[in-house]
Each structure stands twice: as C-alpha cells, then as structure tokens.
Amino acid sequence: MAESKISICSKLMADQGLTIAFAESATAGWLCSEFALTEESGKILKGGIACYDAGLKVKLLKVPQELIDQYTPESLEVTREMAYRLRELIESDIQVTVTGLTTPGGSETPEKPVGTMFVFALIKGREASFRRVFAGSCEEVIHQTIEATAELLTGELSPS
C-alpha cells in the first residue's frame, strides 16, 4: 500500500490527466515504487530510472561530467539537470529527480551532512525543488524524502 501522501498526490495527478516519470539516485526507485502502488498508477506512472551510481547519471541521463565534478553528484544543480535530461528520455507531464546522502561515503561536508536530500520537479515545464536535511537511518531519510516530495507535488498541483 502506498504512503497516504503519495495516494493523495496520485489522485490529484489523475484528476488533472497528468503523467509522471522519475530518475532517482539516493532513493533508488523507492519513490517511483510508491506511485506504482496507487490505484491511479496505470493512468499516471510512465516509469523511472534508478541511477544510484554517478556514472549512470552521465551514461544514461547524459548529465555532463563537468557539472558533477563542479557541484558533486549530490547537489541541486545535478538534480535539476537530471530532470531536464529525463524529460528527453521519458515523455511525461512531470519529471521528478532525487539525489542525496542517505549514508556516509558520498560528498558529505559540514555544510552538506548525511541526511541532505535534493528533489527537483519539472511540472509541465515549471520548476519546483527542495534541499532538506533529514535525520535518522537511511530508511528513515528515504521515507521523509518521499513524504516531502509528495507534499511538494501536491502543493504545486493543488488549486490556489
């Protein structure tokens, strides 16, 4: 069963006739899987790419290596580029990309500790994103990222 915030978001997308695609690094496809568990999945979900390793961001998504070298694989700049590159690979109304640090061993620094997550969404070409630092285990950080992503999308798709 999908997390409740994902279900709400999924229904909102289906009601608006929107489709969604994902390119996930730190969440490794978990976000896409949550959308697959909703009743509306057949109407809204186009698919996803898990590109946990930085090399796949370059090889599959064609993110320039120079951008990764300049900003690190776990950065809003790289996450943004991933969304634009995803749009070229999977036709959809919404493209959502995720990078971040769920465990030690990446590009963590005192300014970007483990738990820092980046989410970028293109919603019919309109940009929405966040950088948040979550606390807890790897699994807890991913769950918090999924919930925050659902909140971001729901906020962007809800009538003002």
Side-chain angles (χ1 to χ4, degrees):
M1 187 167 119
E3 293 195 24
S4 63
K5 290 181 182 183
I6 295 289
S7 295
I8 292 166
C9 184
S10 180
K11 182 164 178 19
L12 193 56
M13 279 188 261
D15 290 348
Q16 294 179 32
L18 300 173
T19 58
I20 192 166
F22 299 90
E24 300 177 64
S25 181
T27 50
W30 198 335
L31 182 58
C32 182
S33 294
E34 285 292 326
F35 277 87
L37 295 172
T38 67
E39 288 183 28
E40 297 79 18
S41 62
K43 296 176 188 170
I44 66 162
L45 183 58
K46 288 290 190 158
I49 299 168
C51 49
Y52 200 84
D53 183 83
L56 291 177
K57 293 174 181 72
V58 175
K59 190 168 186 156
L60 287 177
L61 291 174
K62 308 295 185 212
V63 172
Q65 183 65 52
E66 300 77 31
L67 191 69
I68 291 172
D69 293 343
Q70 182 176 359
Y71 294 105
T72 77
E74 303 90 10
S75 63
L76 192 56
E77 293 83 2
V78 168
T79 311
R80 180 182 187 272
E81 185 69 17
M82 287 168 60
Y84 280 95
R85 300 298 177 134
L86 176 63
R87 185 168 66 171
E88 297 169 15
L89 286 175
I90 302 175
E91 186 177 319
S92 60
D93 300 304
I94 302 167
Q95 298 82 36
V96 176
T97 54
V98 183
T99 68
L101 300 158
T102 58
T103 60
S107 63
E108 69 268 12
T109 64
E111 296 79 33
K112 186 173 67 172
V114 171
T116 304
M117 298 296 288
F118 302 94
V119 171
F120 194 92
L122 279 173
I123 303 164
K124 296 181 97 177
R126 189 177 76 249
E127 296 183 357
S129 65
F130 68 77
R131 173 201 191 272
R132 298 231 181 108
V133 180
F134 298 112
S137 67
C138 175
E139 185 174 348
E140 291 167 332
V141 168
I142 291 172
H143 273 291
Q144 291 171 77
T145 302
I146 290 168
E147 285 202 352
T149 302
E151 290 168 2
L152 173 73
L153 293 172
T154 299
E156 291 291 325
L157 296 173
S158 295
S160 303

